[in-house]
Amino acid sequence: MAGIPIRLAPLPGEALDSWLGAYADLLHATVRDIFRFAGIDCSRAGRGQLNGKPWLHQLAEAELAALSAATGVPAQTLAGMTLARYHGTGLAARPGIQPAPRWWRQPSGSRYCPRCLAANGGRWMLAWRIPWAFACTGCQALLADNCPDCGRRHRSTRPGRARQPGRCDLTGLPLPPWRPPGGTPACGSDPAATPAVALPAGGHVLAAQQHVDAVIATLLSAQGRPAETAALRQYLDDACAVARAAVSAAGRTASFPAAVTAVLDELGARTGPMSAFASPPRAPPRQLAPVTAFGVAVADIMLHGRPGDPDPVIAGWLAGHAASRGQMTCPGQVPIVWNRASPALQASLARPLAAQADTVRQLRYRAVAGPARIPDPARGRERAAAVPSLMWPGWALRLLPPWRRDFQRSRALLAVMLAVAVTGEEYGTARDLLGLEPSRLGKLGNFTALLRQHAILEPVTAAICQLARNLDQHGAPVIDYARRGRLGSLCQAPLDTGSWRSQRDLLLAQHGRPGQHAPAQEQLARLRLIELLTGTHPRYLPGPLQLPRQRGPDYAAFVFTMPGHLDLCLRRQASALLSQAGISEPVTWEPPSGWAPGIPRPGPDPDAASAEQRIRRLLTIPGQPDLQHAARHLGTTTARLSRQVRQLEDVAGTALLRTGPDGRLTLTAHGRLFARDVHPVPESLEQSRKSNSDNHGTGPGARPSWDRDQGHQPQPGQSAP
């Protein structure tokens, strides 16, 4: 078959119906004539489609080939001019398969840019039929929805009527005025003469259209790559959900975030909430370009360039509006109402709701000091494995003020709070995952009330949320505390007494003293070994290994004054036991101090104290007559001890020593706390402390805690035997 000798090339991006109408006008024919010449039954072309221009949606391969032969336009180009170009993306309806787009409803006609129509002779773009199109980025103008004179949308054409491009016949491709049966004369206005709403260059609306166009282009090119298309569709899911919520909130609230106000200014809608967006009677309000532009621009501000961290101000505005309407009154309802939104978007909406709830909900949703999250209980047990049963000692020291409270119990409660933030579980479940007995913890409400009383609940909660986020992002150095706790070879590990006694006797010989059997000390050494392996303080061990509370100060003094050689002996034993159990992990670890930046910490920072200061946390045995006597008892100089006490008091922010009524040196309340609940330190700092202890901590005549059988301690003010 010979082709039509007169040819008309389609414009880039032009819709098939527009090109056919312009071509028919050039030929002084009708679209039906072109189909008839190509051997295509016009009444059956694109059969099964939605309207009177079925070929706009899709043409069969045989029809494309015939039309290509008649017009000289490649079949692939013709196929790209139909809405079939968007099949499989969710951007447009697909008759018989997908009756509506994945996001907005398919417009019954086509939006249009009056300036483009004036410049190209009335040629209509295919992209204008996509619900996401609301602005022309080239002309920097808002797309028009309706005929300015009759107020009706452009709809389907009748292929048997001659065309005059550029004249409105209420169809999408214009006809000369005609009188429909029983009706009034059709509108004959020129769509190109429609007043265009100019948009500011660099404004939010144009930026939103550019970003959406880029996403759509990437979505089209990513067909056949499910992982890429899933991520792009999720972004559009989020944008559509935010846009709809923003439109709803703008119509019912009197105050807006600054960014939302800026979008309204661009669209000229500041005279009243969405007043400029009023739709004609019975017209779907979200089908109008200004409404879509407003919603998508707000969504773009909230989401674009903020992966995983949607704008918190807009999120708070949307969540507040939903709460005021009773749609979402608690964070647990967010995944139900926003069921197609991404977890990051859901979390951003849950955050303002959780921030007003109790501490446990704030921790579960991580609603303070950073991006929130939606709890995922399915991974609770897996995540809890990275949390020790007691808060890492250095972090417990940072988070707790020098108060007269049980330090080890406070560490346990902080660990449960961290487990809640890490796992997203409720308090009881998180406690059970750490293997802690309720009777030994007390109520979390009492603990948080105490933190609130000291005005530190907010910074403590914020720091724990930050720690949980960093554990998710960076992870612990593969320390699985839960696995270690399940292994009897670790949680009931025996002490290698031969190695321990050898190192101890060697140290005693260096100080001119013979070795001796010290069973109570070896029992404490075994408990320290188990603590290194499991992260569990001996007071929280099960069964007969559990350390009585009254022995806590003995254990603390033993650990804190232990020389580096003995500490290294225990760590080598721990490393060997881990290897025998098939575990390739460091013996101990705790998060860096920089994992909670910008949050005030109530307690002193172990990193701020020198190794000498950390050795002297015990300060002195109560009841010493003066610092000189205490220094001799501790095996150091008076000047060094005096300097260390002053420095530690600066770090603690309070006095630790005072002179009593009898003239003897004694501890203040805070000093007694430090002497009783000795705060351990991170492993990396502990090593330097141990080395310093070897050099300065023991001298002839001094008997520190590691050198005594804990069953026979000297009385305060007496020398060790």
Side-chain angles (χ1 to χ4, degrees), residues 17 50-53 56-57 83 93 101 104-111 128-131 145-146 152-157 170-172 282-284 287-288:
D17 59 343
L50 291 180
N51 56 30
K53 291 191 290 187
L56 174 63
H57 292 270
L83 291 175
W104 312 95
R105 283 194 296 177
Q106 183 72 41
S108 55
S110 174
R111 292 174 181 153
W128 294 344
R129 289 188 174 270
I130 300 302
D145 290 282
N146 309 308
R152 300 170 71 182
R153 279 188 178 274
H154 296 285
R155 298 184 180 276
S156 59
T157 60
L170 314 183
T171 65
R282 294 180 296 179
Q287 293 288 96
L288 298 179

Side-chain angles (χ1 to χ4, degrees), residues 204-229:
H204 295 297
V205 176
L206 287 178
Q209 185 67 76
Q210 290 168 348
H211 296 155
V212 167
D213 289 346
V215 171
I216 290 174
T218 306
L219 182 60
L220 291 172
S221 63
Q223 291 299 297
R225 299 193 294 274
E228 292 183 40
T229 56

Side-chain angles (χ1 to χ4, degrees), residues 88-115:
T89 65
L91 293 167
R94 189 174 181 182
I97 299 177
Q98 183 180 357
R102 180 182 177 95
W103 298 284
W104 312 95
R105 283 194 296 177
Q106 183 72 41
S108 55
S110 174
R111 292 174 181 153
Y112 62 95
C113 173
R115 295 178 181 177

Side-chain angles (χ1 to χ4, degrees), residues 205-434:
V205 176
L206 287 178
Q209 185 67 76
Q210 290 168 348
H211 296 155
V212 167
D213 289 346
V215 171
I216 290 174
T218 306
L219 182 60
L220 291 172
S221 63
Q223 291 299 297
R225 299 193 294 274
E228 292 183 40
T229 56
L232 294 167
R233 285 174 179 160
Q234 184 61 72
Y235 179 84
L236 293 177
D237 279 345
D238 287 355
C240 184
V242 171
R244 291 179 182 275
V247 170
S248 176
R252 294 176 173 85
T253 57
S255 60
F256 311 103
V260 176
T261 300
V263 174
L264 290 170
D265 283 340
E266 291 183 22
L267 297 170
R270 286 296 304 281
T271 55
M274 306 301 286
S275 61
F277 303 162
S279 57
R282 294 180 296 179
R286 293 184 182 130
Q287 293 288 96
L288 298 179
V291 178
T292 305
F294 169 77
V296 177
V298 172
D300 185 72
I301 296 170
M302 183 177 180
L303 303 174
H304 184 76
R306 305 179 63 102
D309 183 25
D311 183 273
V313 177
I314 296 177
W317 175 58
L318 297 179
H321 168 67
S324 68
R325 298 185 62 193
Q327 292 177 328
M328 296 189 311
T329 56
C330 69
Q333 293 176 318
V334 173
I336 300 173
V337 178
W338 292 69
N339 59 331
R340 289 179 61 176
S342 64
L345 177 56
Q346 291 178 352
S348 71
L349 296 162
R351 178 182 178 181
L353 300 176
Q356 302 174 17
D358 56 47
T359 302
V360 171
R361 284 190 179 179
Q362 291 180 14
L363 292 171
R364 290 189 67 213
Y365 290 88
R366 298 180 194 166
V368 292
R373 65 88 188 266
I374 296 296
D376 181 12
R379 296 187 57 196
R381 186 171 297 276
E382 171 191 348
R383 288 174 168 169
V387 180
S389 58
L390 273 70
M391 178 64 85
W392 296 285
W395 275 98
L397 177 61
R398 294 181 182 97
L399 297 179
L400 295 175
W403 55 13
R404 298 198 62 182
R405 300 289 171 181
D406 186 333
F407 182 66
Q408 303 305 334
R409 177 174 291 182
S410 298
R411 285 181 62 194
L413 288 164
L414 287 174
V416 178
M417 292 174 69
L418 178 62
V420 170
V422 168
T423 65
E425 298 282 5
E426 294 287 355
Y427 169 74
T429 304
R431 179 198 60 213
D432 294 342
L433 288 173
L434 296 185

Side-chain angles (χ1 to χ4, degrees), residues 59 108 144 153 161 211 225 323 347 353 372 386 589 592 614 643 671 693:
L59 285 173
S108 55
R153 279 188 178 274
R161 296 188 177 275
H211 296 155
R225 299 193 294 274
L353 300 176
W589 174 86
R614 291 191 294 275
R643 182 178 68 253
S693 160

Side-chain angles (χ1 to χ4, degrees), residues 640-713:
R640 179 177 291 116
L641 180 59
S642 177
R643 182 178 68 253
Q644 291 165 350
V645 169
R646 287 197 307 270
Q647 291 172 336
L648 182 56
E649 287 178 337
D650 290 340
V651 173
T654 184
L656 302 175
L657 286 173
R658 65 179 177 86
T659 302
D662 58 356
R664 299 174 68 85
L665 190 67
T666 186
L667 299 174
T668 66
H670 291 296
R672 287 194 298 273
L673 171 69
F674 275 87
R676 184 194 69 200
D677 288 331
V678 180
H679 301 286
V681 294
E683 178 185 4
S684 60
L685 303 175
E686 217 166 292
Q687 293 293 345
S688 61
R689 172 177 68 78
K690 301 304 182 183
S691 299
N692 191 282
S693 160
D694 284 341
N695 295 331
H696 305 290
T698 44
R703 297 284 300 278
S705 298
W706 68 268
D707 189 18
R708 297 196 297 266
D709 187 347
Q710 299 298 324
H712 303 86
Q713 293 203 51

Side-chain angles (χ1 to χ4, degrees), residues 314-656:
I314 296 177
W317 175 58
L318 297 179
H321 168 67
S324 68
R325 298 185 62 193
Q327 292 177 328
M328 296 189 311
T329 56
C330 69
Q333 293 176 318
V334 173
I336 300 173
V337 178
W338 292 69
N339 59 331
R340 289 179 61 176
S342 64
L345 177 56
Q346 291 178 352
S348 71
L349 296 162
R351 178 182 178 181
L353 300 176
Q356 302 174 17
D358 56 47
T359 302
V360 171
R361 284 190 179 179
Q362 291 180 14
L363 292 171
R364 290 189 67 213
Y365 290 88
R366 298 180 194 166
V368 292
R373 65 88 188 266
I374 296 296
D376 181 12
R379 296 187 57 196
R381 186 171 297 276
E382 171 191 348
R383 288 174 168 169
V387 180
S389 58
L390 273 70
M391 178 64 85
W392 296 285
W395 275 98
L397 177 61
R398 294 181 182 97
L399 297 179
L400 295 175
W403 55 13
R404 298 198 62 182
R405 300 289 171 181
D406 186 333
F407 182 66
Q408 303 305 334
R409 177 174 291 182
S410 298
R411 285 181 62 194
L413 288 164
L414 287 174
V416 178
M417 292 174 69
L418 178 62
V420 170
V422 168
T423 65
E425 298 282 5
E426 294 287 355
Y427 169 74
T429 304
R431 179 198 60 213
D432 294 342
L433 288 173
L434 296 185
L436 294 170
E437 299 178 7
S439 60
R440 300 185 64 82
L441 280 182
K443 294 182 178 180
L444 180 65
N446 295 340
F447 182 63
T448 56
L450 189 62
L451 295 176
R452 185 180 291 107
Q453 178 182 340
H454 284 76
I456 61 172
L457 178 59
E458 290 186 6
V460 168
T461 304
I464 289 176
C465 288
Q466 287 279 46
L467 282 174
R469 292 187 194 97
N470 278 287
L471 283 173
D472 275 357
Q473 182 178 355
H474 304 292
V478 294
I479 291 185
D480 188 338
Y481 293 99
R483 175 176 59 174
R484 293 187 183 190
R486 292 192 299 267
L487 296 177
S489 61
L490 301 183
C491 62
Q492 299 179 13
L495 176 71
D496 182 351
T497 54
S499 176
W500 172 264
R501 291 171 183 173
S502 174
Q503 289 293 327
R504 183 177 183 275
D505 292 348
L506 179 62
L507 286 173
L508 289 174
Q510 292 175 358
H511 295 285
R513 289 191 296 273
Q516 59 183 3
H517 184 51
Q521 183 198 86
E522 291 176 1
Q523 176 64 13
L524 294 180
R526 182 190 180 193
L527 295 178
R528 174 60 176 164
L529 174 65
I530 294 174
E531 182 180 11
L532 291 173
L533 287 167
T534 64
T536 302
H537 191 275
R539 277 183 50 193
Y540 293 88
L541 291 175
L545 287 174
Q546 189 176 94
L547 184 72
R549 181 174 180 178
Q550 60 270 23
R551 296 286 318 272
D554 295 342
Y555 178 77
F558 169 80
V559 171
F560 205 72
T561 62
M562 188 189 308
H565 289 82
L566 292 179
D567 179 74
L568 182 60
C569 174
L570 291 181
R571 291 179 182 278
R572 285 176 174 170
Q573 290 188 39
S575 181
L577 289 168
L578 289 174
S579 297
Q580 292 172 15
I583 297 175
S584 178
E585 297 175 356
V587 175
T588 59
W589 174 86
E590 87 171 55
S593 60
W595 273 18
I599 298 174
R601 298 166 189 176
D605 189 344
D607 295 346
S610 69
E612 292 180 347
Q613 288 172 283
R614 291 191 294 275
I615 299 170
R616 306 306 177 190
R617 287 266 164 77
L618 188 58
L619 296 179
T620 183
I621 302 299
Q624 298 292 331
D626 50 39
L627 273 179
Q628 184 177 8
H629 191 279
R632 284 199 305 270
H633 189 88
L634 290 170
T636 186
T637 66
T638 304
R640 179 177 291 116
L641 180 59
S642 177
R643 182 178 68 253
Q644 291 165 350
V645 169
R646 287 197 307 270
Q647 291 172 336
L648 182 56
E649 287 178 337
D650 290 340
V651 173
T654 184
L656 302 175

